[in-house]
């Protein structure tokens, strides 16, 4: 009951809320450009669609979405038919044996980064770091003290922070899957410390941002 | 243009992540073993043998334990009794000539433990001897004649399942090999669908007795191979079957001496039971992709017509 009905309902409700809140400051754009939406919408409706900076959801947006989806589905079904094993880890096809632990255990790929934040430390420190990694992304809106609501490439140091974070997450993901031996341990530890360090400095570098 | 740039960056980082957690991570997890393409370079060449002489030698030396169904020679004992005496049921020799390498066959007849790379199990200290006696006392030409005879009786075309049964199926079960519920390959043969539970259980008891004997002989029960095709890569299976010691040092699994064609047959069988819907996917796949291509074409045309009036 909880998972087949209640959870989907909650997810649908969150999506509705998400679309609703999008209407309040209006949808953002790649350039972070300030647009007078009412004026642009009027321009569109009066027939000057070429110069208007806004488009309609139906069919302007949908037609493009449909096209991208078609490309994606073609690729997706190519994988389904000809690379069926693509997303299936071979480990999952070995029958479980309570007396034999596999030499390397690792979670699904999307959890690897947080697994690698757990792994390089001793037990208690590792658990604390792991707990930190699980909740910290939820606190992002509060740790970002910048007065600006703009894309990262218009925000100075935050852009550097963003790219280091992205690369760090990929390094963590890869290190989370390779066996914990030799140089991989060191890389994993450095990447995990970088992850924690980035979150500690985030409020300071965003506070230093000037109102643009 | 900006959108395309963003797409390229997203694809780039996706590919780097994929490469890191799949091919790269797996290359670090498993030792790399080069394949020798079933050449058995460590074994000497076999000369041409005399088929008639070989037949005589096989009748006087082999058929006391081995059946040869192709020549209407039945097994002297049923599988369970055989396993009680030998640890494992001796193979039927009808098609070994078709799926095994001839150099290997000759080397195996001369010294089974050495040829199959399991001499470490049968050291003098262990007090155990290989269930098949070695024929190293026999002249090389006679062994060559036996091999020539075995090759002469082997059928031209061996089915994937026959190859599996001879090479693997006396130690490894395949519980998904069957069209109906309850059917499966066991070490003593194919389990049919029984009408009565009593018969089904009687069969199972025989399988268990056989497995107990096999466990004593191998150290543990060899794994069921139903979905091994998904659990291991083709390269792993190839190098492992060529020489199990390279991937699992000290394993009780013998080198079985498959030739390249024999290996392909076995792989075909493993694929048939581990991924039975592959033929259906292959047959439908290209039609579906043609459909998707047309779909995409229309989607592009539609987008173009809608966006003509936009910026």
């Amino acid at each position: 009951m909880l998972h087949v009905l209640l959870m989907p309902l909650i997810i649908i409700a969150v999506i509705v809320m998400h679309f609703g809140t999008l209407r309040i400051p209006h949808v953002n754009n790649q350039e972070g450009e300030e647009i007078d939406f009412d004026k642009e919408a009027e321009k569109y409706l009066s027939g000057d669609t070429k110069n208007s900076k806004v488009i309609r959801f139906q069919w302007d947006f949908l037609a493009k979405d449909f096209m991208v989806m078609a490309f994606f589905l073609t690729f997706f079904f190519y994988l389904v038919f000809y690379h069926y094993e693509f997303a299936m880890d071979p480990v999952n096809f070995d029958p479980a044996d309570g007396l034999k632990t596999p030499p390397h255990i690792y979670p699904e790929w999307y959890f690897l980064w947080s697994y690698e934040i757990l792994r390089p430390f001793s037990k208690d420190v590792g658990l604390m770091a792991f707990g930190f990694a699980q909740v910290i992304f939820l606190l992002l809106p509060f740790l970002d003290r910048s007065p600006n609501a703009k894309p990262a490439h218009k925000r100075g140091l935050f852009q550097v922070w963003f790219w280091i974070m992205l690369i760090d997450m990929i390094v963590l993901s890869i290190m989370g899957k390779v066996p914990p031996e030799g140089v991989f341990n060191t890389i994993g530890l450095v990447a995990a410390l970088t992850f924690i360090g980035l979150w500690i400095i985030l409020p300071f570098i965003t506070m230093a941002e000037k109102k643009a | 243009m900006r959108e395309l740039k963003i797409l390229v960056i997203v694809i780039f980082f996706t590919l780097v992540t994929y490469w890191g957690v799949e091919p790269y991570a797996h290359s670090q997890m498993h030792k790399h073993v080069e394949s020798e393409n079933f050449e058995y370079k460590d074994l000497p060449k076999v000369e041409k043998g005399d088929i008639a002489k070989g037949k005589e030698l096989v009748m006087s030396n082999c058929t006391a334990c081995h059946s040869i169904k192709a020549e209407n020679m039945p097994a002297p004992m049923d599988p369970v009794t055989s396993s009680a005496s030998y640890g494992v049921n001796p193979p039927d020799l009808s098609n070994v000539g078709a799926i095994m390498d001839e150099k290997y066959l000759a080397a195996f007849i001369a010294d089974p433990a050495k040829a199959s790379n399991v001499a470490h199990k049968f050291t003098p200290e262990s007090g155990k001897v290989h269930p098949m006696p070695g024929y190293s006392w026999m002249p090389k030409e006679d062994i060559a004649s036996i091999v020539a005879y075995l090759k002469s009786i082997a059928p031209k075309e061996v089915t994937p399942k026959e190859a599996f049964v001879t090479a693997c199926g006396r130690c490894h079960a395949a519980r998904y090999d069957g069209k109906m519920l309850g059917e499966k390959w066991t070490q003593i043969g194919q389990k049919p669908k029984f009408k009565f539970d009593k018969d089904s259980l009687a069969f199972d008891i025989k399988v268990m007795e056989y497995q107990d004997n096999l466990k004593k002989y191998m150290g543990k029960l060899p794994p069921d191979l139903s979905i091994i095709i998904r659990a291991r890569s083709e390269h792993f299976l190839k190098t492992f079957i060529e020489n199990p010691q390279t991937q699992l040092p000290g394993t009780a699994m013998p080198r079985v001496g498959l030739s390249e064609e024999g290996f392909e047959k076995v792989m075909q069988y493993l694929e048939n039971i581990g991924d039975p819907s592959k033929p259906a996917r292959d047959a439908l796949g290209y039609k579906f992709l043609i459909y998707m291509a047309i779909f995409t074409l229309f989607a592009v045309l539609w987008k173009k017509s809608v966006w003509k009036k936009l910026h």
Side-chain angles (χ1 to χ4, degrees), chain B residues 68-270:
Chain B
I68 310 179
K69 291 194 181 119
E71 301 281 278
N72 289 322
M73 223 108 37
M77 292 188 274
D78 68 281
V80 180
T81 322
S82 280
S83 70
S85 342
Y86 307 122
V88 63
N89 188 21
D92 183 270
L93 299 181
S94 302
N95 56 20
V96 287
I99 60 169
M100 305 286 185
D101 184 82
E102 59 170 15
K103 285 198 294 187
Y104 178 85
L105 282 176
F108 189 88
I109 293 166
D111 188 343
K114 187 157 164 265
S116 56
N117 285 347
V118 286
H120 58 276
K121 277 202 308 190
F122 303 106
T123 53
E125 298 88 66
S126 73
K128 289 182 192 162
V129 288
H130 196 281
M132 168 162 157
Y135 287 80
S136 47
W137 50 265
M138 205 182 250
K140 280 220 162 55
E141 305 80 67
D142 287 357
I143 293 182
S145 298
I146 294 178
V147 174
Y149 168 70
L150 290 175
K151 285 181 78 132
S152 74
I153 58 164
K156 287 265 172 306
E157 204 40 56
V158 179
T159 65
K161 180 154 185 176
E162 285 166 353
F164 174 85
V165 166
T166 302
C168 326
R170 290 164 297 114
C171 290
H172 294 283
R175 65 182 178 282
Y176 292 157
D177 180 10
K179 287 196 170 55
M180 307 236 285
L181 195 68
E183 288 182 10
K184 58 184 176 182
W185 174 261
T186 72
Q187 286 93 344
I188 63 170
Q190 184 76 18
K191 182 180 177 184
K193 172 130 185 73
F194 288 105
K195 197 169 174 195
F196 300 108
D197 273 359
K198 197 172 145 234
D199 299 328
S200 173
L201 290 171
F203 190 94
D204 288 346
I205 287 169
K206 275 197 212 157
V207 174
M208 283 175 200
E209 280 171 1
Y210 184 97
Q211 288 181 343
D212 283 343
N213 294 327
L214 188 61
K215 262 185 244 173
K216 265 184 233 141
Y217 174 56
M218 297 298 281
K220 61 176 271 203
L221 187 67
D224 184 289
L225 295 184
S226 286
I227 47 171
I228 200 74
I229 196 89
R230 292 188 179 187
R232 298 287 182 279
S233 70
E234 182 167 349
H235 180 80
F236 180 94
L237 291 173
K238 184 173 182 181
T239 48
F240 186 72
I241 291 171
E242 270 176 347
N243 187 359
Q245 303 298 329
T246 56
Q247 302 270 17
L248 269 183
T251 180
M253 163 142 166
R255 170 163 81 169
V256 289
L258 282 171
S259 63
E260 185 136 28
E261 303 83 66
F263 168 73
E264 272 158 23
K265 296 269 186 228
V266 169
M267 285 298 279
Q268 185 61 52
Y269 172 78
L270 293 177

Side-chain angles (χ1 to χ4, degrees), chain A residues 30-31 44 49-50 52 55 59-60 63-64 66-67 70-71 73-74 77-78 80-82 84 86 90 93-94 104 106 112 153 163 166 170 173-174 177-179 184, chain B residues 2-3 6 9 13 16-18 20-22 24-26 28-29 227 230-232 281-282 284-286 288-289 292 295-296 299-300 302-303 306-311:
Chain A
Q30 287 163 8
E31 316 293 335
Y44 184 102
T49 45
K50 275 252 185 275
S52 171
I55 55 168
W59 297 101
D60 305 350
K64 191 166 177 178
F66 208 73
M67 177 187 79
F71 279 109
L73 284 183
T74 309
F77 282 115
Y78 163 73
V80 168
F81 282 107
Y82 295 105
Y84 194 62
F86 166 71
F93 292 96
D94 270 328
H104 310 304
Y106 46 83
L112 285 170
H153 69 272
W163 286 109
L166 181 77
I170 292 176
S173 295
I174 297 173
K177 187 138 175 193
V178 294
F184 297 141
Chain B
R2 197 180 166 81
E3 279 177 336
I6 294 170
I9 289 169
F13 281 110
V16 169
T17 312
Y18 176 75
V21 302
E22 281 297 317
Y24 179 71
H26 283 284
Q28 295 301 310
M29 271 183 241
I227 47 171
R230 292 188 179 187
R232 298 287 182 279
R281 280 206 311 277
D282 285 348
L284 184 63
Y286 73 95
F288 201 90
L289 288 181
M292 279 314 299
F295 182 93
T296 308
V300 172
W302 183 39
K303 189 256 168 187
V306 170
W307 279 65
K308 232 182 338 201
K309 63 176 169 56
L310 300 174
H311 55 82

